[in-house]
Amino acid sequence: MKIEQKKWTKELGWKSLGADNLEVDPQLVLVFGGSSKVKEEKTFDEIKKMYSKSHIVIMSTAGEIFDTSVSDDSLSLTAVYFEKSTLQFAEGDIASPVESAEVGKKLASMLPKDKLVHVMVFSDGLKANGTDLVGGLTSQLPSVVSLTGGLVGDGADFKHTYVGLDKVPTEGKVVVVGFYGDSLSVSYGSMGGWDVFGPERVITKAKDNILYELDGKPALALYKEYLGEEKSKELPGSGLLFPLNLRLKTNNGEDQVVRTILGVNEKDQSMTFAGDMPEGVVAQMMKANFDRIIGGAVGAANLIKDTNVKAELAILISCIGRKLVLKDRIEEETEGIREVFGKDTALAGFYSYGEISPITPTINQCQLHNQTMTITTFAEL
C-alpha cells in the first residue's frame, strides 16, 4: 500500500505531507472538506487534474482531520494505491430518511461479493436515517463482510451536506466503496466517553428517527427543561452537547448507543435524530466528560492495536459533538491516536453527523453511533 496526503488551506493552497509522491495512479482518492469549498467545480477540477485516472470520493464535513491536525474550511486529501487489493464503487440518490433502507439495499447489491472484505459508506448527513441505511446495506452483504463509514457534515449549520463520486459533490448522495482481496486486513473500533445523567425515561411515542414523547411527555419540552432557556434558543446545535443514550436489544443481548439531534420541530414538539428512536426503549441524557472523551478516542485505537496488525492507513470519523465540546483541546484525541499507532500510520478523516461501525473488531454487528470516535484501519499483508 502506498499513500500520498495533501492539505489545502486558503492561506497556503495545496501542501503535501512528507516528501513522498506517488509514482503510480491510486485507485482511491478520499477528500474531506468544508461545505463551501467542496461544492465548487474548481475544487473538483483541481483534484481531477492531479489524479486523472483515479476514483475520487469527495464530501463535506464538520471539520477535517489531516494527520493529527483538525481544521475547518480546508481540504484533507488522501490518495491510496493498493498493491494487492482491488476496489469497486457505487453511488445512489436519497431524498428523505424513509428511503434509507432501500438505498442501502440497492447500493450493497451493486457490489460484487466474490472476495469482498469490507465496505465503507459515506452518506448525506441530513437526508438519511443512519440506522435504516445500515440495515439496508448489511441485509445484502455477506455476514463476514464488515461495514464502516459515516454521515457527512456541514459544520454546525445543519443545512446542506454534500457527497460525490468522480464528480462535484451534491446533496442527496450516498457513496459506497468495496474493498477486495485475501491480502487486505481491515480493522475497526468505536468508543465514546460521555457520562449519563438524570432519570431514565422510556420512549413512548416515536416514528423512525423522529422522537415525539418520553414518558408520555412532549420530547422537546422535556429536553428544554434540562438545557435551560439560553441553550434552548440555540437548538439544534446546543443539543449536540447533550445527546441521548439508548439501551437497545440486540442479538448479543443489550447494547448502548448514542443518538444526536439533527433538528427540532416547535409545532409538534418533536426532535429528529440521526438514527432510529424505537418505542419502548429506555433513554437517558448524557453530558461531556473531557478526559473520558479523549480517552475514548485512544481506547478505539487500542481496540485495533490489540489485533496485532500494523495499520498503514487509519480513517478517523468523529462526531461533531465531540468537536464542539473539546474546542481548543480537539487535537488531543487525534494526537492520542497517533501515539497508539505510531508515526508510520497515515491518519485522515472528518467530523460527522453520525458514525457507522461495529463497536469492536471481534463483533461484526454494525450500528449507527453518535458522539464516538470511530476508526477504520487498512493494511496489506
Side-chain angles (χ1 to χ4, degrees):
M1 186 182 300
K2 297 180 179 179
I3 301 168
E4 177 178 272
Q5 293 186 281
K6 299 179 181 181
K7 180 177 181 178
W8 179 93
T9 60
K10 185 177 181 181
E11 295 76 20
L12 301 175
W14 288 104
K15 296 294 181 182
S16 296
L17 179 65
D20 295 335
N21 291 316
L22 288 179
E23 297 178 352
V24 290
D25 295 316
Q27 299 96 329
L28 173 64
V29 178
L30 285 172
V31 184
F32 311 119
S35 297
S36 61
K37 185 62 180 175
V38 299
K39 68 179 182 179
E40 292 180 1
E41 189 170 346
K42 177 184 176 182
T43 297
F44 181 80
D45 290 344
E46 286 181 358
I47 297 169
K48 188 63 179 177
K49 187 176 181 179
M50 290 188 285
Y51 304 98
S52 61
K53 298 180 180 180
S54 305
H55 286 292
I56 300 168
V57 183
I58 180 170
M59 66 208 75
S60 63
T61 82
E64 300 83 57
I65 298 171
F66 181 79
D67 192 42
T68 59
S69 71
V70 178
S71 307
D72 293 306
D73 301 319
S74 66
L75 296 172
S76 170
L77 183 152
T78 300
V80 189
Y81 174 72
F82 292 86
E83 297 174 279
K84 305 176 183 179
S85 313
T86 59
L87 280 66
Q88 294 285 340
F89 300 80
E91 183 184 56
D93 298 312
I94 187 166
S96 70
V98 297
E99 299 177 358
S100 300
E102 286 303 313
V103 171
K105 290 178 182 178
K106 179 180 178 181
L107 288 172
S109 68
M110 294 168 67
L111 295 175
K113 304 305 185 292
D114 185 38
K115 294 190 177 182
L116 178 61
V117 175
H118 183 75
V119 174
M120 287 204 80
V121 57
F122 303 101
S123 170
D124 185 294
L126 297 174
K127 299 182 187 296
N129 177 329
T131 305
D132 289 348
L133 180 63
V134 168
L137 286 162
T138 55
S139 71
Q140 303 299 311
L141 293 174
S143 60
V144 295
V145 175
S146 51
L147 171 69
T148 60
L151 307 181
V152 307
D154 176 34
D157 292 338
F158 291 88
K159 293 179 180 178
H160 309 281
T161 64
Y162 306 93
V163 183
L165 172 62
D166 297 329
K167 59 180 179 295
V168 178
T170 58
E171 293 182 72
K173 296 292 183 180
V174 182
V175 171
V176 293
V177 184
F179 298 84
Y180 298 77
D182 297 331
S183 299
L184 186 64
S185 174
V186 182
S187 195
Y188 39 80
S190 180
M191 291 186 71
W194 297 65
D195 292 332
V196 294
F197 74 99
E200 293 184 337
R201 300 182 183 275
V202 176
I203 296 176
T204 48
K205 184 179 179 182
K207 181 177 175 56
D208 299 325
N209 61 330
I210 302 176
L211 174 65
Y212 293 96
E213 292 182 0
L214 289 165
D215 285 348
K217 299 177 181 179
L220 183 56
L222 190 62
Y223 203 84
K224 286 182 175 181
E225 288 181 16
Y226 285 91
L227 261 62
E229 184 177 351
E230 289 304 313
K231 288 191 178 299
S232 293
K233 294 177 182 177
E234 299 170 5
L235 282 167
S238 60
L240 295 167
L241 306 178
F242 299 93
L244 286 181
N245 181 70
L246 304 187
R247 286 167 32 196
L248 297 179
K249 302 293 182 183
T250 69
N251 295 334
N252 299 317
E254 184 178 89
D255 282 345
Q256 296 192 37
V257 299
V258 182
R259 292 287 178 261
T260 290
I261 299 172
L262 294 181
V264 299
N265 187 321
E266 295 286 353
K267 185 176 180 180
D268 62 12
Q269 291 292 289
S270 68
M271 305 164 67
T272 300
F273 288 79
D276 270 0
M277 304 295 288
E279 291 184 354
V281 166
V282 174
Q284 192 173 12
M285 290 190 73
M286 306 184 80
K287 60 183 177 181
N289 179 314
F290 286 88
D291 292 332
R292 283 198 349 102
I293 288 177
I294 295 167
V298 174
N302 277 317
L303 285 173
I304 297 170
K305 188 179 180 182
D306 289 344
T307 63
N308 294 318
V309 175
K310 178 65 176 177
E312 296 179 72
L313 170 65
I315 302 299
L316 318 182
I317 301 179
S318 187
C319 187
I320 180 180
R322 301 167 68 87
K323 184 167 176 278
L324 293 177
V325 168
L326 291 174
K327 296 181 180 178
D328 292 341
R329 294 182 62 183
I330 190 61
E331 291 181 355
E332 290 185 35
E333 66 173 3
T334 53
E335 290 166 352
I337 292 169
R338 168 61 73 205
E339 289 183 11
V340 173
F341 287 144
K343 63 182 179 61
D344 295 328
T345 302
L347 304 182
F350 66 97
Y351 285 83
S352 72
Y353 287 173
E355 307 82 61
I356 293 170
S357 174
I359 296 175
T360 72
T362 57
I363 300 177
N364 186 17
Q365 185 171 333
C366 188
Q367 292 185 357
L368 171 76
H369 306 277
N370 291 122
Q371 308 296 1
T372 65
M373 165 62 82
T374 290
I375 306 172
T376 306
T377 63
F378 298 87
E380 287 187 304
L381 305 178

Coordinates of all heavy atoms in Angstrom, one line a residue, residues 157-238:
D157 N -23.9 24.0 11.1 CA -25.1 24.7 10.4 C -26.3 23.8 10.2 O -27.4 24.2 10.2 CB -24.7 25.3 9.1 CG -23.7 26.5 9.3 OD1 -23.7 27.1 10.4 OD2 -23.0 26.8 8.4
F158 N -26.0 22.5 9.9 CA -27.1 21.5 9.6 C -28.0 21.9 8.5 O -29.3 21.8 8.6 CB -27.9 21.2 10.9 CG -27.1 20.5 12.0 CD1 -26.3 21.2 12.9 CD2 -27.1 19.1 12.0 CE1 -25.6 20.5 13.9 CE2 -26.4 18.4 13.0 CZ -25.6 19.1 13.9
K159 N -27.5 22.5 7.4 CA -28.3 22.9 6.3 C -28.1 22.1 5.1 O -29.1 21.7 4.5 CB -28.0 24.4 6.0 CG -28.4 25.3 7.2 CD -28.1 26.8 6.8 CE -28.5 27.7 7.9 NZ -28.1 29.2 7.6
H160 N -26.9 21.9 4.6 CA -26.6 21.2 3.4 C -25.4 20.3 3.5 O -24.3 20.8 4.0 CB -26.4 22.2 2.2 CG -27.5 23.2 2.1 ND1 -28.7 22.9 1.5 CD2 -27.5 24.5 2.5 CE1 -29.4 24.0 1.5 NE2 -28.7 25.0 2.1
T161 N -25.5 19.1 3.2 CA -24.3 18.2 3.2 C -24.1 17.6 1.7 O -25.1 17.4 1.0 CB -24.4 17.0 4.2 OG1 -25.5 16.2 3.8 CG2 -24.7 17.6 5.6
Y162 N -22.8 17.4 1.4 CA -22.5 17.0 0.0 C -21.6 15.8 -0.1 O -20.7 15.7 0.7 CB -21.8 18.2 -0.7 CG -22.5 19.5 -0.6 CD1 -22.3 20.4 0.4 CD2 -23.5 19.8 -1.5 CE1 -23.0 21.6 0.5 CE2 -24.2 21.0 -1.5 CZ -23.9 21.9 -0.4 OH -24.6 23.1 -0.4
V163 N -21.9 14.9 -1.0 CA -21.1 13.7 -1.3 C -21.0 13.6 -2.8 O -22.0 13.8 -3.5 CB -21.7 12.4 -0.7 CG1 -20.8 11.3 -0.9 CG2 -21.9 12.6 0.8
G164 N -19.9 13.1 -3.3 CA -19.8 12.9 -4.7 C -18.8 11.8 -5.1 O -17.8 11.6 -4.3
L165 N -19.0 11.1 -6.1 CA -18.1 10.1 -6.7 C -17.7 10.5 -8.1 O -18.6 10.5 -9.0 CB -18.8 8.7 -6.7 CG -18.1 7.6 -7.4 CD1 -16.7 7.3 -6.7 CD2 -18.9 6.3 -7.4
D166 N -16.5 10.8 -8.2 CA -15.9 11.2 -9.5 C -16.6 12.4 -10.2 O -16.7 12.5 -11.4 CB -16.0 10.0 -10.5 CG -15.1 8.8 -10.0 OD1 -14.1 9.1 -9.3 OD2 -15.4 7.7 -10.3
K167 N -17.2 13.2 -9.3 CA -17.8 14.5 -9.8 C -18.0 15.5 -8.7 O -17.8 15.1 -7.5 CB -19.1 14.2 -10.5 CG -20.2 13.6 -9.7 CD -21.4 13.4 -10.5 CE -22.6 12.7 -9.7 NZ -22.2 11.4 -9.3
V168 N -18.3 16.7 -9.0 CA -18.6 17.7 -8.0 C -19.7 17.1 -7.0 O -20.7 16.7 -7.5 CB -19.0 19.0 -8.6 CG1 -19.3 20.0 -7.5 CG2 -18.0 19.5 -9.5
P169 N -19.5 17.1 -5.7 CA -20.5 16.6 -4.8 C -21.7 17.4 -4.7 O -21.7 18.6 -4.9 CB -19.7 16.6 -3.4 CG -18.7 17.7 -3.6 CD -18.3 17.6 -5.0
T170 N -22.8 16.7 -4.5 CA -24.1 17.4 -4.4 C -24.9 16.8 -3.2 O -24.5 15.9 -2.5 CB -25.0 17.2 -5.6 OG1 -25.1 15.8 -5.9 CG2 -24.3 17.8 -6.9
E171 N -26.0 17.4 -2.9 CA -26.9 16.9 -1.8 C -27.6 15.6 -2.2 O -27.7 15.4 -3.4 CB -27.9 18.0 -1.4 CG -27.4 19.2 -0.8 CD -28.5 20.2 -0.4 OE1 -29.2 19.9 0.6 OE2 -28.6 21.2 -1.1
G172 N -28.0 14.9 -1.2 CA -28.8 13.7 -1.5 C -28.0 12.5 -2.2 O -28.6 11.8 -3.0
K173 N -26.8 12.3 -1.8 CA -26.0 11.3 -2.4 C -25.5 10.3 -1.3 O -25.1 10.8 -0.2 CB -24.8 11.8 -3.2 CG -25.2 12.6 -4.4 CD -25.8 11.8 -5.5 CE -26.1 12.6 -6.7 NZ -26.8 11.8 -7.8
V174 N -25.3 9.1 -1.7 CA -24.7 8.1 -0.8 C -23.7 7.3 -1.7 O -24.0 6.9 -2.8 CB -25.7 7.1 -0.2 CG1 -25.0 6.1 0.7 CG2 -26.8 7.8 0.5
V175 N -22.4 7.2 -1.2 CA -21.4 6.5 -1.9 C -20.9 5.3 -1.1 O -20.6 5.5 0.1 CB -20.2 7.5 -2.3 CG1 -19.0 6.7 -2.8 CG2 -20.7 8.5 -3.3
V176 N -20.7 4.2 -1.8 CA -20.1 3.0 -1.1 C -18.8 2.6 -1.8 O -18.7 2.7 -3.1 CB -21.0 1.8 -1.0 CG1 -22.2 2.2 0.0 CG2 -21.5 1.4 -2.3
V177 N -17.8 2.1 -1.1 CA -16.6 1.7 -1.6 C -16.4 0.2 -1.1 O -16.4 0.0 0.1 CB -15.4 2.5 -1.2 CG1 -14.1 2.0 -1.9 CG2 -15.6 4.0 -1.5
G178 N -16.2 -0.7 -2.0 CA -16.0 -2.1 -1.7 C -14.5 -2.4 -1.8 O -13.9 -2.1 -2.8
F179 N -14.0 -3.1 -0.8 CA -12.5 -3.5 -0.8 C -12.4 -5.0 -0.9 O -13.1 -5.7 -0.1 CB -11.9 -3.0 0.5 CG -11.9 -1.5 0.7 CD1 -13.1 -0.9 1.2 CD2 -10.8 -0.7 0.4 CE1 -13.1 0.5 1.4 CE2 -10.9 0.7 0.6 CZ -12.0 1.3 1.1
Y180 N -11.6 -5.4 -1.8 CA -11.5 -6.9 -2.1 C -10.0 -7.4 -2.1 O -9.1 -6.7 -2.4 CB -12.0 -7.1 -3.6 CG -13.4 -6.7 -3.8 CD1 -13.8 -5.3 -4.0 CD2 -14.4 -7.6 -4.0 CE1 -15.1 -5.0 -4.2 CE2 -15.7 -7.3 -4.2 CZ -16.0 -6.0 -4.3 OH -17.3 -5.6 -4.6
G181 N -9.9 -8.6 -1.6 CA -8.6 -9.3 -1.7 C -8.2 -10.0 -0.4 O -8.5 -9.6 0.7
D182 N -7.6 -11.2 -0.6 CA -7.2 -12.0 0.5 C -6.1 -11.4 1.3 O -5.8 -11.8 2.5 CB -6.7 -13.4 0.0 CG -7.9 -14.2 -0.7 OD1 -9.0 -13.9 -0.3 OD2 -7.6 -15.0 -1.6
S183 N -5.3 -10.5 0.7 CA -4.2 -9.9 1.4 C -4.6 -8.6 2.2 O -3.7 -8.1 2.9 CB -3.1 -9.5 0.4 OG -2.6 -10.6 -0.3
L184 N -5.8 -8.2 2.1 CA -6.2 -7.0 2.8 C -6.7 -7.3 4.2 O -7.6 -8.1 4.5 CB -7.4 -6.3 2.0 CG -7.8 -4.9 2.5 CD1 -6.7 -3.9 2.4 CD2 -9.0 -4.4 1.7
S185 N -6.1 -6.6 5.2 CA -6.6 -6.6 6.6 C -7.3 -5.3 7.0 O -6.7 -4.3 6.9 CB -5.4 -6.9 7.5 OG -5.8 -6.8 8.9
V186 N -8.5 -5.4 7.4 CA -9.3 -4.3 7.8 C -9.7 -4.5 9.3 O -10.2 -5.5 9.7 CB -10.5 -4.1 7.0 CG1 -11.3 -2.8 7.4 CG2 -10.2 -4.0 5.5
S187 N -9.5 -3.4 10.1 CA -10.0 -3.5 11.5 C -10.7 -2.2 11.8 O -10.7 -1.2 11.1 CB -8.8 -3.7 12.4 OG -9.3 -4.1 13.7
Y188 N -11.4 -2.2 13.0 CA -12.2 -1.0 13.3 C -12.4 -1.0 14.8 O -12.3 -2.0 15.5 CB -13.5 -1.1 12.6 CG -14.1 -2.5 12.5 CD1 -14.8 -3.0 13.6 CD2 -14.0 -3.2 11.4 CE1 -15.3 -4.3 13.5 CE2 -14.5 -4.5 11.3 CZ -15.1 -5.0 12.4 OH -15.6 -6.3 12.3
G189 N -12.7 0.2 15.3 CA -13.0 0.4 16.8 C -13.8 1.6 16.9 O -13.6 2.6 16.2
S190 N -14.7 1.6 17.9 CA -15.5 2.8 18.2 C -15.8 2.9 19.7 O -16.2 2.0 20.3 CB -16.9 2.6 17.4 OG -17.7 3.7 17.7
M191 N -15.5 4.1 20.2 CA -15.8 4.4 21.6 C -16.2 5.9 21.8 O -15.9 6.7 21.0 CB -14.5 4.1 22.5 CG -14.1 2.7 22.6 SD -12.8 2.3 23.7 CE -13.6 2.6 25.3
G192 N -16.9 6.1 22.9 CA -17.4 7.5 23.2 C -16.7 8.2 24.3 O -15.6 8.8 24.1
G193 N -17.2 8.1 25.5 CA -16.6 8.7 26.6 C -17.5 9.7 27.3 O -17.0 10.6 28.1
W194 N -18.8 9.7 27.0 CA -19.8 10.6 27.6 C -20.4 10.0 28.9 O -20.4 8.8 29.0 CB -20.9 11.0 26.6 CG -20.4 11.7 25.4 CD1 -19.5 11.2 24.5 CD2 -20.7 13.1 25.1 NE1 -19.3 12.2 23.5 CE2 -20.0 13.3 23.9 CE3 -21.5 14.1 25.6 CZ2 -20.1 14.6 23.2 CZ3 -21.6 15.3 25.0 CH2 -20.9 15.5 23.8
D195 N -20.9 10.8 29.8 CA -21.5 10.3 31.0 C -23.0 10.5 31.0 O -23.5 11.6 30.5 CB -20.9 11.1 32.2 CG -19.5 10.8 32.5 OD1 -19.0 9.7 32.1 OD2 -18.8 11.6 33.1
V196 N -23.7 9.5 31.5 CA -25.2 9.6 31.6 C -25.5 10.4 32.8 O -24.8 10.4 33.8 CB -25.9 8.3 31.6 CG1 -25.7 7.6 30.3 CG2 -25.4 7.4 32.7
F197 N -26.7 11.1 32.8 CA -27.1 11.8 34.0 C -28.7 11.9 33.9 O -29.3 11.7 32.9 CB -26.5 13.2 34.1 CG -27.1 14.2 33.2 CD1 -28.0 15.1 33.6 CD2 -26.6 14.3 31.8 CE1 -28.5 16.1 32.7 CE2 -27.1 15.2 31.0 CZ -28.1 16.1 31.4
G198 N -29.3 12.2 35.1 CA -30.7 12.4 35.1 C -31.4 11.0 35.1 O -30.8 10.0 35.0
P199 N -32.8 11.1 35.2 CA -33.5 9.8 35.2 C -33.6 9.1 33.9 O -33.5 9.7 32.8 CB -34.9 10.3 35.6 CG -35.0 11.7 35.1 CD -33.6 12.3 35.3
E200 N -33.8 7.8 33.9 CA -34.0 7.0 32.7 C -35.5 7.2 32.3 O -36.4 7.3 33.2 CB -33.7 5.5 33.0 CG -32.3 5.2 33.2 CD -32.1 3.7 33.3 OE1 -33.0 3.0 33.7 OE2 -30.9 3.3 33.1
R201 N -35.7 7.4 31.0 CA -37.1 7.6 30.5 C -37.4 6.7 29.4 O -36.4 6.3 28.6 CB -37.3 9.1 30.1 CG -37.1 10.1 31.2 CD -37.3 11.5 30.8 NE -37.0 12.5 31.8 CZ -37.9 12.8 32.8 NH1 -39.1 12.3 32.8 NH2 -37.6 13.7 33.7
V202 N -38.6 6.3 29.2 CA -39.0 5.4 28.2 C -39.5 6.2 26.9 O -40.3 7.1 27.1 CB -40.1 4.4 28.6 CG1 -40.5 3.5 27.5 CG2 -39.5 3.6 29.8
I203 N -39.1 5.8 25.8 CA -39.6 6.4 24.5 C -41.0 5.9 24.3 O -41.2 4.7 24.0 CB -38.7 6.0 23.3 CG1 -37.3 6.6 23.5 CG2 -39.4 6.6 22.0 CD1 -36.4 6.3 22.4
T204 N -42.0 6.7 24.5 CA -43.4 6.3 24.5 C -44.1 6.6 23.1 O -45.1 6.1 22.8 CB -44.2 6.9 25.6 OG1 -43.9 8.3 25.7 CG2 -43.8 6.3 26.9
K205 N -43.5 7.5 22.3 CA -44.0 7.8 21.0 C -42.9 8.3 20.1 O -42.2 9.2 20.4 CB -45.1 8.9 21.1 CG -45.8 9.2 19.7 CD -46.8 10.3 19.8 CE -47.5 10.5 18.4 NZ -48.5 11.6 18.5
A206 N -42.7 7.5 19.0 CA -41.7 7.9 18.0 C -42.1 7.2 16.7 O -42.8 6.2 16.7 CB -40.3 7.4 18.5
K207 N -41.5 7.7 15.6 CA -41.6 7.1 14.3 C -40.3 7.2 13.6 O -39.8 8.3 13.4 CB -42.7 7.8 13.5 CG -42.9 7.2 12.1 CD -44.1 7.9 11.4 CE -44.2 7.4 10.0 NZ -44.4 6.0 9.8
D208 N -39.7 6.1 13.3 CA -38.4 6.1 12.7 C -37.4 6.9 13.5 O -37.1 6.5 14.7 CB -38.5 6.6 11.2 CG -39.4 5.7 10.4 OD1 -39.4 4.5 10.6 OD2 -40.1 6.3 9.5
N209 N -36.8 7.9 13.0 CA -35.8 8.7 13.7 C -36.4 10.0 14.3 O -35.6 10.9 14.7 CB -34.6 9.1 12.8 CG -35.0 9.9 11.6 OD1 -36.1 9.8 11.1 ND2 -34.1 10.7 11.1
I210 N -37.7 10.1 14.4 CA -38.4 11.3 15.0 C -38.9 10.9 16.4 O -39.7 9.9 16.5 CB -39.5 11.8 14.1 CG1 -38.9 12.2 12.7 CG2 -40.1 13.0 14.7 CD1 -40.0 12.6 11.7
L211 N -38.5 11.6 17.4 CA -39.0 11.3 18.8 C -40.0 12.4 19.1 O -39.8 13.6 19.0 CB -37.8 11.5 19.7 CG -38.1 11.4 21.2 CD1 -38.6 10.0 21.6 CD2 -36.8 11.7 22.0
Y212 N -41.2 11.8 19.6 CA -42.3 12.7 20.0 C -42.5 12.8 21.5 O -42.8 13.9 22.0 CB -43.6 12.2 19.3 CG -43.6 12.3 17.8 CD1 -43.3 11.3 17.0 CD2 -44.0 13.5 17.2 CE1 -43.3 11.4 15.6 CE2 -44.0 13.7 15.8 CZ -43.7 12.6 15.0 OH -43.7 12.7 13.7
E213 N -42.4 11.7 22.2 CA -42.7 11.7 23.6 C -41.7 10.8 24.4 O -41.3 9.7 23.9 CB -44.1 11.2 23.9 CG -45.2 12.1 23.3 CD -46.6 11.6 23.7 OE1 -46.7 10.5 24.3 OE2 -47.6 12.2 23.3
L214 N -41.4 11.3 25.6 CA -40.6 10.5 26.6 C -41.5 10.4 27.8 O -41.9 11.5 28.3 CB -39.3 11.1 26.9 CG -38.2 11.1 25.8 CD1 -37.1 12.1 26.2 CD2 -37.6 9.7 25.7
D215 N -41.7 9.2 28.3 CA -42.6 9.0 29.5 C -44.0 9.7 29.3 O -44.5 10.3 30.2 CB -41.9 9.6 30.8 CG -40.9 8.6 31.3 OD1 -40.8 7.5 30.8 OD2 -40.1 9.0 32.2
G216 N -44.5 9.7 28.0 CA -45.8 10.3 27.8 C -45.8 11.9 27.7 O -46.8 12.5 27.6
K217 N -44.6 12.5 27.8 CA -44.5 13.9 27.7 C -43.8 14.4 26.5 O -43.0 13.7 25.9 CB -43.7 14.4 28.9 CG -44.3 14.1 30.3 CD -43.4 14.5 31.4 CE -44.0 14.2 32.8 NZ -43.2 14.6 33.9
P218 N -44.2 15.6 25.9 CA -43.6 16.1 24.7 C -42.0 16.1 24.8 O -41.5 16.7 25.8 CB -44.1 17.5 24.6 CG -45.4 17.4 25.3 CD -45.2 16.5 26.5
A219 N -41.4 15.5 23.9 CA -39.9 15.3 24.0 C -39.2 16.6 24.0 O -38.2 16.8 24.8 CB -39.4 14.4 22.8
L220 N -39.5 17.5 23.1 CA -38.8 18.8 23.0 C -38.9 19.6 24.3 O -37.9 20.2 24.8 CB -39.2 19.6 21.8 CG -38.4 20.9 21.5 CD1 -37.0 20.6 21.4 CD2 -39.0 21.6 20.3
A221 N -40.1 19.7 24.8 CA -40.4 20.5 26.0 C -39.6 19.9 27.2 O -39.0 20.6 28.0 CB -41.9 20.5 26.4
L222 N -39.5 18.6 27.3 CA -38.8 17.9 28.4 C -37.3 18.1 28.2 O -36.6 18.4 29.2 CB -39.1 16.4 28.3 CG -38.6 15.6 29.5 CD1 -39.2 16.1 30.8 CD2 -38.9 14.1 29.3
Y223 N -36.8 18.1 27.0 CA -35.4 18.3 26.7 C -35.0 19.7 27.1 O -33.9 19.9 27.6 CB -35.2 18.0 25.2 CG -33.8 17.7 24.9 CD1 -33.3 16.4 25.0 CD2 -32.9 18.6 24.4 CE1 -32.0 16.0 24.6 CE2 -31.6 18.3 24.0 CZ -31.2 17.0 24.1 OH -29.9 16.7 23.8
K224 N -35.9 20.7 26.8 CA -35.6 22.1 27.1 C -35.5 22.3 28.6 O -34.7 23.3 29.0 CB -36.6 23.0 26.4 CG -36.5 23.1 24.9 CD -37.5 24.1 24.4 CE -37.4 24.4 22.9 NZ -38.4 25.3 22.4
E225 N -36.2 21.6 29.3 CA -36.1 21.7 30.8 C -34.6 21.5 31.3 O -34.2 22.2 32.2 CB -37.0 20.7 31.5 CG -38.5 21.1 31.4 CD -39.4 20.1 32.1 OE1 -38.8 19.3 33.0 OE2 -40.6 20.0 31.8
Y226 N -34.0 20.6 30.7 CA -32.6 20.3 31.0 C -31.6 21.3 30.4 O -30.6 21.6 31.1 CB -32.2 18.8 30.6 CG -32.8 17.8 31.5 CD1 -34.1 17.2 31.2 CD2 -32.2 17.4 32.6 CE1 -34.6 16.3 32.0 CE2 -32.7 16.4 33.4 CZ -34.0 15.8 33.1 OH -34.6 14.9 33.9
L227 N -31.9 21.7 29.2 CA -31.0 22.7 28.6 C -31.0 24.1 29.2 O -30.0 24.8 29.2 CB -31.3 22.8 27.1 CG -30.5 21.9 26.1 CD1 -30.6 20.4 26.5 CD2 -30.8 22.2 24.7
G228 N -32.1 24.5 29.7 CA -32.3 25.8 30.2 C -32.6 26.8 29.1 O -32.6 26.4 27.9
E229 N -33.0 28.0 29.4 CA -33.6 28.9 28.4 C -32.5 29.3 27.4 O -32.9 29.4 26.2 CB -34.0 30.2 29.2 CG -34.7 31.2 28.2 CD -35.3 32.4 29.0 OE1 -35.3 32.4 30.2 OE2 -35.7 33.4 28.3
E230 N -31.3 29.6 27.8 CA -30.3 30.1 26.8 C -29.9 29.0 25.8 O -29.9 29.3 24.6 CB -29.1 30.6 27.6 CG -29.3 31.9 28.3 CD -29.8 33.0 27.4 OE1 -29.2 33.2 26.3 OE2 -30.8 33.7 27.8
K231 N -29.6 27.8 26.3 CA -29.2 26.8 25.4 C -30.4 26.3 24.5 O -30.2 25.8 23.4 CB -28.6 25.6 26.1 CG -27.2 25.9 26.7 CD -26.5 24.7 27.3 CE -25.1 25.0 27.8 NZ -24.2 25.5 26.8
S232 N -31.6 26.4 25.0 CA -32.7 26.0 24.2 C -32.9 26.9 23.0 O -33.4 26.4 21.9 CB -34.0 26.1 25.1 OG -34.0 25.1 26.1
K233 N -32.5 28.1 23.1 CA -32.6 29.0 22.0 C -31.6 28.7 20.9 O -31.8 29.1 19.7 CB -32.3 30.5 22.4 CG -33.3 31.1 23.3 CD -32.9 32.5 23.8 CE -33.9 33.0 24.7 NZ -33.5 34.4 25.2
E234 N -30.6 27.9 21.2 CA -29.5 27.5 20.3 C -29.7 26.2 19.6 O -28.9 25.7 18.9 CB -28.2 27.6 21.0 CG -27.8 28.9 21.5 CD -26.6 28.9 22.4 OE1 -26.0 27.8 22.5 OE2 -26.3 29.9 23.0
L235 N -30.9 25.5 19.9 CA -31.1 24.2 19.3 C -31.3 24.4 17.8 O -31.7 25.4 17.3 CB -32.5 23.7 19.9 CG -32.4 23.0 21.2 CD1 -33.8 22.8 21.8 CD2 -31.6 21.7 21.2
P236 N -30.9 23.4 16.9 CA -30.4 22.0 17.4 C -29.0 22.0 17.8 O -28.5 21.0 18.3 CB -30.7 21.2 16.2 CG -30.5 22.1 15.0 CD -31.0 23.4 15.5
G237 N -28.2 23.0 17.5 CA -26.8 23.0 17.7 C -26.4 22.6 19.1 O -25.5 21.8 19.4
S238 N -27.1 23.3 20.1 CA -26.7 23.0 21.5 C -27.1 21.6 21.9 O -26.5 21.1 22.9 CB -27.5 24.0 22.4 OG -28.9 23.9 22.2

